[in-house]
């Protein structure tokens, strides 16, 4: 089985990538599974693309092999696109998913019409290969912010995100239902040709 390093220590993301890549018979290895202590990479970019590139290129430079990085987040229209690139630590340090959810629900208080609570998850993937230009793809998943949280699956903002055409939150979907419609899936399918040509 072929391997690709996934530049994340986020257990939720790692689980989803492992599931996607297994369909291509590729073993996705997250940073937490590597023996090397790579330390934390500062995400100093102002866009998903810049941050994905920083993560993928830094680790590929260290490991001398192909690395895929994901930078993702939630963009809420009524908040002018926030939390956006600041999604992970929107309520401050240290990263706290529940505090982030509380902050978003608080900020949307008083906005009653679902059509004014539109939002999307965005995922930019960067694949860095030593000596080659970095490849980028982007996927989105459209939905609305629920009035209260529900569900235990997934991670991050899933309990308050209702995907379009569903009447339950992303956290109430099974892992495979989420993986069928997610921003990460919509990005990764665009890498299919690259995966087939380069990894097999
Ligand atoms: P990153 O590690 O800087 O890309 O931060 C991504 C953050 O965006 C996560 O910590 C979550 O708060 C949020 N996020 C990204 N993808 C998802 C998802 O699939 N569900 C829920 N929240 C997500």
């Amino acid at each position: 089985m072929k391997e690709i390093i996934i530049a994340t220590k986020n257990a939720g993301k790692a689980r989803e990538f492992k599931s996607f890549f297994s369909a291509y018979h590729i073993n996705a290895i997250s940073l937490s599974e590597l023996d090397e202590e790579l330390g934390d990479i500062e995400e100093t970019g102002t866009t998903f693309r810049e941050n994905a590139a920083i993560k993928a290129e830094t680790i590929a430079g260290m490991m001398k092999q192909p690395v895929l990085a994901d930078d993702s987040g939630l963009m809420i229209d009524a908040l002018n696109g926030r939390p956006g690139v600041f999604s992970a630590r929107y309520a401050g340090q240290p990263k706290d998913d529940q505090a982030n959810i509380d902050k978003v629900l608080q900020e949307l208080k008083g906005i009653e019409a679902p059509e004014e609570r539109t939002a999307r998850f965005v995922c930019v993937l960067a694949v860095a290969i030593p000596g080659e230009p970095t490849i980028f793809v982007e996927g989105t998943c459209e939905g609305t912010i629920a009035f209260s949280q529900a569900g235990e699956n997934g991670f991050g903002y899933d309990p308050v995100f209702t995907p379009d055409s569903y009447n339950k939150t992303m956290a109430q979907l099974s892992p495979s239902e989420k993986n069928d419609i997610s921003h990460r899936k919509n990005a990764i399918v665009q890498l299919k040709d690259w995966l087939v040509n380069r990894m097999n």
Side-chain angles (χ1 to χ4, degrees):
M1 188 184 254
K2 305 284 179 182
E3 290 182 351
I4 189 165
I5 294 174
I6 311 294
T8 188
K9 291 181 183 167
N10 178 322
K13 282 188 189 177
R15 219 173 23 246
E16 292 178 10
F17 278 118
K18 279 181 184 295
S19 161
F20 292 131
F21 276 95
S22 66
Y24 301 104
H25 307 289
I26 295 167
N27 188 17
I29 303 172
S30 77
L31 295 185
S32 344
E33 295 170 81
L34 293 177
D35 292 334
E36 274 102 321
E37 226 346 293
L38 295 172
D40 282 333
I41 296 163
E42 247 196 282
E43 296 179 27
T44 50
T46 55
T47 61
F48 293 120
R49 185 179 164 117
E50 279 173 10
N51 282 334
I54 290 169
K55 288 186 270 191
E57 289 168 5
T58 307
I59 307 284
M62 291 170 171
M63 304 293 296
K64 312 269 182 277
Q65 67 181 89
V67 173
L68 179 144
D70 153 307
D71 201 59
S72 49
L74 177 66
M75 302 186 74
I76 301 175
D77 294 321
L79 303 180
N80 297 317
R82 291 196 320 273
V85 291
F86 304 110
S87 292
R89 290 167 188 79
Y90 192 44
Q93 297 279 12
K95 180 182 161 200
D96 181 339
D97 286 346
Q98 186 58 53
N100 290 339
I101 286 174
D102 293 343
K103 181 169 177 177
V104 158
L105 288 178
Q106 182 61 35
E107 288 186 314
L108 292 189
K109 237 185 184 147
I111 303 181
E112 302 294 338
E115 60 271 21
E116 288 172 21
R117 298 173 70 94
T118 50
R120 69 206 47 78
F121 279 126
V122 179
C123 168
V124 173
L125 299 180
V127 184
I129 306 162
E132 294 185 27
T134 298
I135 299 165
F136 296 94
V137 292
E138 177 173 328
T140 58
C141 178
E142 299 285 333
T144 53
I145 302 301
F147 292 95
S148 58
Q149 70 186 85
E152 303 291 331
N153 296 333
F155 66 96
Y157 298 89
D158 284 340
V160 288
F161 184 84
T162 306
D164 282 353
S165 318
Y166 287 78
N167 54 9
K168 47 188 174 178
T169 70
M170 199 78 122
Q172 291 175 300
L173 301 184
S174 70
S176 75
E177 282 175 315
K178 175 179 175 182
N179 289 349
D180 270 350
I181 60 162
S182 79
H183 46 313
R184 211 159 282 110
K185 151 77 181 294
N186 291 334
I188 222 162
V189 292
Q190 297 172 56
L191 285 178
K192 189 167 172 263
D193 289 345
W194 181 85
L195 288 169
V196 169
N197 291 330
R198 296 297 301 260
M199 301 294 290
N200 287 304

